[in-house]
Amino acid sequence: MTTVGYVPGVYDMFHIGHLNIIRRARGACDHLVVGVVTDEVVLAVKGHLPVVPLAERLEIVGSLRLVDEVVVDPHHDKFAMWPAVHYDVLFKGDDWQNTPKGRKLEADLATVGARVVYFPYTVHTSSTELRRFLNQQRDDFASSKARDPVPSASARTPRRT
């Protein structure tokens, strides 16, 4: 019997944490479906839009040879994709384990004979951390420019040739 796995995510600014969960999921099922969450869901859940647009995130994830199928996931509730994908196992980072949303997902999936498998969350690299770093770099750059603005063209010393 073929085991269908499903691994949903935003996959914004694709990084090693994304690759880790997809690689682990691939090793734990026969057919791997990756769900890429829509911009609208990201905005509703995280309060900001992804940096990389949905079409590009789909193309990036779909280009991985580890992935058998990529689908758009328009749901906040991860159980809501079960009727469309009919997966046997849903893979999530262990940051969901033993949380109210993780327990609810486990209970919901049990009603259709599916289960959740948790993989270690890659703490040192996440899109949230990348976004935080980029925002800090932008802010540092802006404040350095405010302190030390570039002189206007008329105030520059001409170069000798």
Side-chain angles (χ1 to χ4, degrees), residues 53-64:
L54 176 62
E56 292 178 22
R57 292 183 283 126
L58 287 165
E59 189 170 340
I60 291 165
V61 171
S63 71
L64 299 172

Side-chain angles (χ1 to χ4, degrees), residues 2 8 19 50 53 58 77 91 102 121 127 132 157:
T2 300
L19 185 59
L58 287 165
D77 179 356
F91 302 103
Y121 182 76
S127 296
R132 186 175 295 128
T157 306

Side-chain angles (χ1 to χ4, degrees), residues 111-156:
T111 68
V112 295
R115 62 193 168 90
V116 180
V117 169
Y118 297 101
F119 293 127
Y121 182 76
T122 307
V123 178
H124 65 278
T125 304
S126 72
S127 296
T128 301
E129 288 302 315
L130 288 171
R131 180 182 289 274
R132 186 175 295 128
F133 174 78
L134 292 172
N135 286 339
Q136 184 62 50
Q137 293 298 307
R138 181 199 62 216
D139 294 347
D140 290 350
F141 179 76
S143 66
S144 72
K145 287 297 176 192
R147 286 190 311 269
D148 188 24
V150 175
S152 67
S154 61
R156 293 186 187 148

Side-chain angles (χ1 to χ4, degrees), residues 13-97:
M13 296 183 282
F14 196 88
H15 56 74
I16 193 66
H18 298 137
L19 185 59
N20 285 343
I21 195 167
I22 291 171
R23 187 181 290 142
R24 288 181 177 119
R26 167 79 273 163
C29 66
D30 302 309
H31 183 84
L32 181 61
V33 181
V34 177
V36 179
V37 179
T38 64
D39 294 353
E40 294 78 14
V41 170
V42 176
L43 181 60
V45 172
K46 297 189 176 206
H48 59 77
L49 289 169
V51 172
V52 179
L54 176 62
E56 292 178 22
R57 292 183 283 126
L58 287 165
E59 189 170 340
I60 291 165
V61 171
S63 71
L64 299 172
R65 68 177 174 263
L66 299 165
V67 175
D68 295 306
E69 188 178 346
V70 63
V71 296
V72 173
D73 185 341
H75 305 287
H76 168 62
D77 179 356
K78 298 303 138 204
F79 179 65
M81 279 300 285
W82 189 86
V85 179
H86 287 92
Y87 50 83
D88 301 296
V89 58
L90 183 141
F91 302 103
K92 286 298 290 174
D94 64 3
D95 56 321
W96 273 54
Q97 196 167 17

